[in-house]
Amino acid sequence: MKKELHIFFTALMFYTRIPCPQNIDHNPDYLNKASRYFPVIGWIVGSVAFGVYCVFNYLVAPEIAVIFSMIASVLVTGAFHEDGFADVCDGFGGGWTKEKILMIMKDSAIGAYGAIGVVLLLFLKFQGLTQLIVVSENPKFIIYNSQFTILLLLVAAHSISRLAAISIVFTHQYSREDATSKSKPIAQSYSWKEVVGAFFFGLLPLVIWSYFQWQMLLVIIPVFLTRFFLVRYFQKWIHGYTGDCLGATQQVCEVVFYISVIALWKFI
């Protein structure tokens, strides 16, 4: 149990800005094992986003509460995944060879593709969440109460999108040949425990939701189709993935999740 807690805190330290015990470091062995808890980080981020939304929803309009909720999720993760998405937009938008793409993604400066991409991504996320929160007030979709429905929505979105991202590590090779990326230790090795743990924690919130509305399980299809096409694209151009690719996958799959739920609710 003590070792598992150490592994969990390693994941928490690596993927968020939440303070961890002083004895936690970037031990490569624990970083490899920490991938099993990546979707659990989604539980935490989704819960924080939900809590902030609830507080501000009592004070201001729901749309403004959604914005503060998004800000909270960015602050908790340190814009870790948004930064990866921006780098992928810049790299694949401005590079035409593997070497050029990787070089652009490694650059800390953000370019036009990255800036435009992040703005559009956040706008889609805002619009999706706002519409979902409005629709969740419909008695047809309420589980116990509307607040619990929104909690399940956020936690499931953050966990399954992180599962889609980390599953790339289990199926494809790391693209860079150097050890300059933070995600390099994670990509070196994994066992069945990491695979089973990631899928268990990643799918559990959606499975709980599907107990009340079985149709929710269908959301898995567009999310993993998106994951499939993104990986195919990464493989074509850089013959694998990088940490930025994982961050971009998480962000895109999160937005696809929201859009898929909106579309699904139209037919329930």
Side-chain angles (χ1 to χ4, degrees), residues 7 15 25 29 54 72 90 92 97 102 110 113 149 161 189 219 223 240 242 251 264 268:
I7 295 171
Y15 294 115
D25 57 17
D29 183 50
C54 288
D90 281 333
F92 287 89
T97 64
L102 293 176
I110 186 172
Y113 287 108
T149 304
S161 61
S189 65
V219 178
V223 169
T242 65
Q251 286 291 294
L264 194 59
I268 296 180

Side-chain angles (χ1 to χ4, degrees), residues 167-233:
S167 66
I168 297 175
V169 173
F170 305 146
T171 58
H172 290 75
Q173 295 295 317
Y174 187 76
S175 182
R176 295 188 188 276
E177 296 178 356
D178 56 74
T180 58
S181 172
K182 289 183 180 180
S183 70
K184 179 65 175 177
I186 300 175
Q188 284 181 337
S189 65
Y190 62 89
S191 69
W192 64 269
K193 291 182 180 180
E194 281 67 64
V195 177
V196 172
F199 273 87
F200 175 78
F201 293 123
L203 295 176
L204 184 59
L206 190 63
V207 170
I208 294 173
W209 196 357
S210 67
Y211 175 78
F212 304 97
Q213 295 175 344
W214 67 266
Q215 297 94 333
M216 287 301 106
L217 284 177
L218 297 175
V219 178
I220 295 175
I221 298 173
V223 169
F224 276 88
L225 275 177
T226 301
R227 183 260 190 205
F228 170 78
F229 285 112
L230 284 173
V231 171
R232 188 176 180 183
Y233 185 74

